[in-house]
Amino acid sequence: MPEIRNVDAGDDRQLLIDAARRVIADQHTSPRRVQRTLRVGFVKARRLRDLMQDAGIIGPPVYDNRRPVLVKREDSAAAIAVLSQELTADA
């Protein structure tokens, strides 16, 4: 499993967790899919995608601006556990 980093998602932490669960389960990511499944706007979906990249869930864009999912389905519980942790003041 790649190194998963906890990121400061602010008030969007639960949305980030939900988006990460969906992306890992589908092994596919796109702002449009996140937008439809979580019922958020396009800008919020892009922000969630960027947060997932910062966290190490998905990689940077490659061919045709697609982003590979770095976390395999069998590692999803561990990845979600890291995202679920509260950030400490020194993090």
Side-chain angles (χ1 to χ4, degrees), residues 8-72:
D8 185 8
D11 293 338
D12 295 330
R13 178 163 305 281
Q14 189 57 51
L15 279 175
L16 174 62
I17 292 167
D18 293 343
R21 278 191 181 116
R22 171 60 52 195
V23 164
I24 295 168
D26 293 347
Q27 289 294 295
H28 174 77
T29 182
S30 74
R32 179 71 180 131
R33 181 174 283 192
V34 170
Q35 184 180 5
R36 282 193 316 250
T37 58
L38 298 181
R39 297 180 183 217
V40 296
F42 188 75
V43 173
K44 177 79 72 176
R46 286 187 61 143
R47 179 172 186 271
L48 291 170
R49 182 191 64 185
D50 292 343
L51 287 170
M52 284 189 284
Q53 181 179 338
D54 293 345
I57 302 291
I58 62 175
V62 288
Y63 176 76
D64 272 351
N65 205 25
R66 295 179 187 188
R67 295 167 189 257
V69 179
L70 304 176
V71 178
K72 303 297 178 210

Side-chain angles (χ1 to χ4, degrees), residues 2-7 51-58 82-83:
E3 179 185 348
I4 304 301
R5 298 170 296 282
N6 201 346
V7 294
L51 287 170
M52 284 189 284
Q53 181 179 338
D54 293 345
I57 302 291
I58 62 175
V82 171
L83 292 178

